[in-house]
Amino acid sequence: PLFTGAASHAILAHLPPHQLKSIYLARARDIAAASLGARVALRATAQDPRVRALAMVACVVDARATMSVANGVDWFQVWLDSDRTQVDAVRETYGGPMSARCVIDMLEHDWDGIEGTNADLGRIRVPVLDVAGGRDEWVALDDVRSVFAGRSGAELVVIDEAVHDLAMADARVAMATIVSWFGRVLGVGPAVES
């Protein structure tokens, strides 16, 4: 039940990275994830040899940049400029409340820039797909392209007019792309044309 329905997405979106990682590690061999959840899945895939393939939509490759654009303030810098004693402090963000512990986790686990994403992707030895929006207002397409450039087994598909929160038509294209990709790289099921 945790993985089905809109309520589960809200619950999963607000869990700290270490909890999301343990959920992915315990449940998935073939992973599909979106946005910040895709970044969590990327780290989990880098650490878990059981994962056979990873498909992502709008993967956040630089959590600090994405969250700064989405929220209009750099909560990472706010934390770094503080006395760092209010670890239970909660700030209202675009996606709901975000605790200082979440920012601390992201800083400690190297999610605040693309360097950590590059390192994780470099450790992955299974096929990886990211379906990115050409007009994503939160995840810089140039950053995504730089992370995926020249990586063996890593594919990037750009839906030109898609934004971060996919419109229904873009979501259908993304889903068809992922289903077809899983079929191709894992050799299961029919390939689906998008």
Side-chain angles (χ1 to χ4, degrees), residues 183-184 187-191:
R184 181 171 45 84
V188 295

Side-chain angles (χ1 to χ4, degrees), residues 77-94:
Q77 196 60 51
V78 169
W79 171 254
L80 292 170
D81 290 343
S82 75
D83 64 10
R84 302 184 193 180
T85 60
Q86 303 298 315
V87 295
D88 293 317
V90 175
R91 304 274 185 173
E92 281 302 316
T93 67
Y94 171 80

Side-chain angles (χ1 to χ4, degrees), residues 13-178:
H14 293 291
L15 291 176
H18 69 277
Q19 283 182 307
L20 284 170
K21 183 178 104 178
S22 65
I23 288 170
Y24 280 118
L25 289 174
R27 303 261 322 179
R29 288 184 19 171
D30 311 324
I31 300 174
S35 193
L36 189 55
R39 180 63 186 92
V40 173
L42 190 69
R43 173 65 55 90
T45 301
Q47 296 176 342
D48 187 351
R50 296 174 298 167
V51 176
R52 301 182 307 167
L54 170 62
M56 305 177 292
V57 177
C59 180
V60 171
V61 297
D62 181 338
R64 183 175 183 168
T66 295
M67 294 174 77
S68 294
V69 170
N71 295 305
V73 64
D74 183 348
W75 291 123
F76 292 84
Q77 196 60 51
V78 169
W79 171 254
L80 292 170
D81 290 343
S82 75
D83 64 10
R84 302 184 193 180
T85 60
Q86 303 298 315
V87 295
D88 293 317
V90 175
R91 304 274 185 173
E92 281 302 316
T93 67
Y94 171 80
M98 183 174 85
S99 72
R101 287 186 192 278
C102 182
V103 170
I104 295 165
D105 277 352
M106 289 185 190
L107 288 167
E108 287 177 354
H109 292 96
D110 201 20
W111 290 22
D112 57 315
I114 64 172
E115 297 81 14
T117 305
N118 276 318
D120 286 341
L121 194 54
R123 288 192 298 272
I124 294 175
R125 301 292 176 247
V126 298
V128 176
L129 169 71
D130 187 28
V131 180
R135 300 181 61 156
D136 190 326
E137 64 282 15
W138 293 353
V139 179
L141 186 56
D142 287 343
D143 287 348
V144 177
R145 283 189 170 123
S146 75
V147 167
F148 276 78
R151 302 255 186 205
S152 177
E155 297 178 45
L156 175 63
V157 173
V158 178
I159 302 173
D160 291 332
E161 296 301 315
V163 296
H164 193 78
D165 295 331
L166 299 176
M168 187 57 71
D170 296 327
R172 286 187 183 115
V173 170
M175 185 56 66
T177 301
I178 289 170

